[in-house]
Amino acid sequence: MLDLNYITDAAGKQIAVQIAMGDWLLFQKQYQEFTRKLEVLQGIKDALVEVEDAKKEGRDLQSLTDFLHEC
């Protein structure tokens, strides 16, 4: 559980929050992992759209075997 410290202004309104450095580092690591996963999922989504567009237009796409040989 996060140990949060709220910072308030003179009127008592919360204006900021502090968290322990260990929690911050964990948050950053998890954020980077989520960002990478999102990039992969977006790439898959874009590829599926490209395949559907190619099918509609009758275009040929590169085979998976040819693609893998390029890598």
Side-chain angles (χ1 to χ4, degrees):
M1 186 150 137
L2 293 175
D3 182 21
L4 303 176
N5 296 307
Y6 295 96
I7 300 171
T8 57
D9 63 13
K13 179 181 174 188
Q14 293 178 344
I15 59 171
V17 65
Q18 290 178 326
I19 64 173
M21 190 56 135
D23 291 337
W24 175 248
L25 295 173
L26 178 60
F27 171 80
Q28 285 183 313
K29 179 182 176 187
Q30 290 174 337
Y31 178 78
Q32 290 172 351
E33 290 172 2
F34 290 141
T35 300
R36 275 180 271 166
K37 288 178 184 178
L38 182 60
E39 289 172 359
V40 169
L41 291 173
Q42 186 62 50
I44 293 169
K45 179 182 175 186
D46 292 346
L48 292 173
V49 169
E50 182 180 352
V51 168
E52 286 300 315
D53 289 346
K55 283 182 182 179
K56 289 176 187 175
E57 298 168 5
R59 286 187 289 129
D60 289 331
L61 294 174
Q62 183 179 33
S63 71
L64 179 58
T65 302
D66 290 341
F67 172 77
L68 291 175
H69 285 292
E70 286 181 7
C71 296

